[in-house]
Amino acid sequence: LRANFSVIQKETGFVNGLITVLHDITEQEKIDMERREFVANVSHELRTPLTTMRSYLEALADGAWKDEQIAPTFLNVTQTETERMIRLVNDLLNLSKMDSRDYKLNREVVEFNKFFNRIIDRFEMSKSQNVKFIRYIPDLSYFVEIDTDKLTQVIDNIISNALKYSPDGGNIRFGVTVHENMLKVMVSDDGMGIPKENVTKIFDRFYRVDRARSRAMGGTGLGLAIAKEMIEAHDGKIWAESEEGIGTTIFFTLPFELDEAGDWE
Ligand code: ADP
């Protein structure tokens, strides 16, 4: 809180009043600080792959290109780093679009369980890890009005994380339930978990429990921040429950539609 004092003086010179204006600057300061932190994070996230690429390119230019063993490996590194930067810039563009005032959802009515099952099928078909998928998805129709592209992105991110952190032979459980007029969706893994004090922070921009590990896995640290914005744009909530060494569960909710007769669909 900052106070501005103005003295009210009469022509005679006598002070007969004092106006105090109290500004709540804490909110503005918080926004400024977050913005500065965000720019610093973006710069750092871009500089790291760029410096890596520079040193590999320098080595190639210095003669490593002639070595048939080394050259492909070095080129591979620069390619991986380029792809990471593209992902990062795409994530940033996504966030900036969501921050803009004319951000619109392209909503359509879909049956959620069918939509969810299709996404899980895609992951189940292409996964290379020894991880079992278990579905607790009722054979019922739940209609939601969602932007399917955005929701696909959210669910993709949650499942990718669950796979990333799953141990060999682990299970990933998928669930859909109804709670107080909201659909509650769950993705749960048997992974390393998240320390208690960090569970809420994983939805912050650029926050990672283990920066080096996330980077090594190609993460940008923006996936869950984007997921949070997207779920909130759909009037839902997203949160995590986790226990170290046991696993992590990500939950999100979505409002769910009344049909024309006024029944819950
Ligand atoms: P990243 O690109 O690092 O995956 P996210 O925003 O998707 O970024 O996730 C942020 C961080 O949350 C991750 O770096 C990781 O530390 C933690 N996290 C997310 N999902 C899980 C999970 N299923 N198990 C353990 N940690 C997780």
Side-chain angles (χ1 to χ4, degrees):
L1 217 64
R2 179 177 292 161
N4 284 345
F5 297 98
S6 309
V7 174
I8 304 170
Q9 258 176 321
K10 277 197 165 170
E11 282 131 51
T12 53
F14 286 110
V15 175
N16 68 347
L18 192 64
I19 301 172
T20 312
V21 185
L22 298 172
H23 297 281
D24 188 358
I25 57 151
T26 48
E27 192 55 31
Q28 188 56 42
E29 268 181 359
K30 211 178 124 216
I31 292 168
D32 287 348
M33 207 181 73
E34 277 172 5
R35 189 175 298 139
R36 276 197 297 274
E37 206 175 301
F38 183 69
V39 172
N41 274 326
V42 171
S43 316
H44 178 79
E45 294 294 331
L46 283 171
R47 198 182 55 185
T48 312
L50 283 169
T51 40
T52 307
M53 279 168 65
R54 184 177 58 192
S55 47
Y56 279 84
L57 288 171
E58 263 168 21
L60 283 163
D62 283 349
W65 66 273
K66 281 182 263 177
D67 189 315
E68 277 183 35
Q69 302 277 301
I70 293 174
T73 319
F74 281 18
L75 284 170
N76 207 328
V77 172
T78 61
Q79 212 160 9
T80 310
E81 292 299 308
T82 310
E83 270 150 27
R84 235 177 61 76
M85 281 198 294
I86 293 172
R87 266 202 307 280
L88 179 65
V89 172
N90 282 337
D91 281 354
L92 288 169
L93 282 172
N94 240 319
L95 276 173
S96 110
K97 260 191 228 145
M98 286 189 287
D99 285 341
S100 79
R101 231 177 292 154
D102 46 83
Y103 178 63
K104 276 200 192 78
L105 291 177
N106 204 355
R107 287 183 192 256
E108 57 181 307
V109 176
V110 295
E111 199 285 298
F112 187 80
N113 289 341
K114 195 168 155 199
F115 167 77
F116 192 31
N117 271 314
R118 275 217 196 118
I119 299 176
I120 303 167
D121 288 344
R122 171 160 53 79
F123 275 92
E124 193 159 39
M125 227 106 80
S126 61
K127 75 178 157 63
S128 52
Q129 285 160 270
N130 173 27
V131 172
K132 205 165 119 204
F133 282 11
I134 305 167
R135 307 186 200 202
Y136 301 97
I137 302 173
D139 202 8
L140 294 167
S141 297
Y142 298 141
F143 288 92
V144 288
E145 197 174 1
I146 54 167
D147 185 321
T148 50
D149 286 348
K150 306 249 155 55
L151 247 293
T152 302
Q153 203 183 324
V154 170
I155 297 168
D156 275 6
N157 185 266
I158 296 171
I159 302 178
S160 308
N161 280 341
L163 275 169
K164 261 194 238 173
Y165 297 99
S166 276
D168 187 56
N171 295 323
I172 299 182
R173 290 161 297 274
F174 302 89
V176 178
T177 49
V178 172
H179 275 267
E180 293 166 6
N181 312 342
M182 298 288 268
L183 220 54
K184 188 173 167 193
V185 184
M186 165 210 104
V187 177
S188 172
D189 65 58
D190 298 334
M192 64 204 289
I194 302 162
K196 252 197 180 55
E197 64 275 18
N198 300 330
V199 173
T200 54
K201 291 191 203 146
I202 62 169
F203 298 97
D204 292 349
R205 296 176 182 192
F206 292 117
Y207 183 83
R208 288 105 142 201
V209 175
D210 182 343
R211 190 171 279 263
R213 189 188 157 107
S214 158
R215 276 187 45 77
M217 291 197 188
T220 64
L222 291 174
L224 286 177
I226 293 174
K228 183 166 187 264
E229 300 240 1
M230 285 180 173
I231 291 294
E232 286 174 356
H234 281 84
D235 305 309
K237 286 203 176 85
I238 185 166
W239 69 98
E241 284 172 17
S242 186
E243 206 164 325
E244 269 186 287
I246 305 283
T248 302
T249 308
I250 304 286
F251 294 97
F252 68 84
T253 58
L254 284 175
F256 119 81
E257 293 267 295
L258 279 169
D259 67 13
E260 275 166 20
D263 300 323
W264 291 102
E265 284 184 319

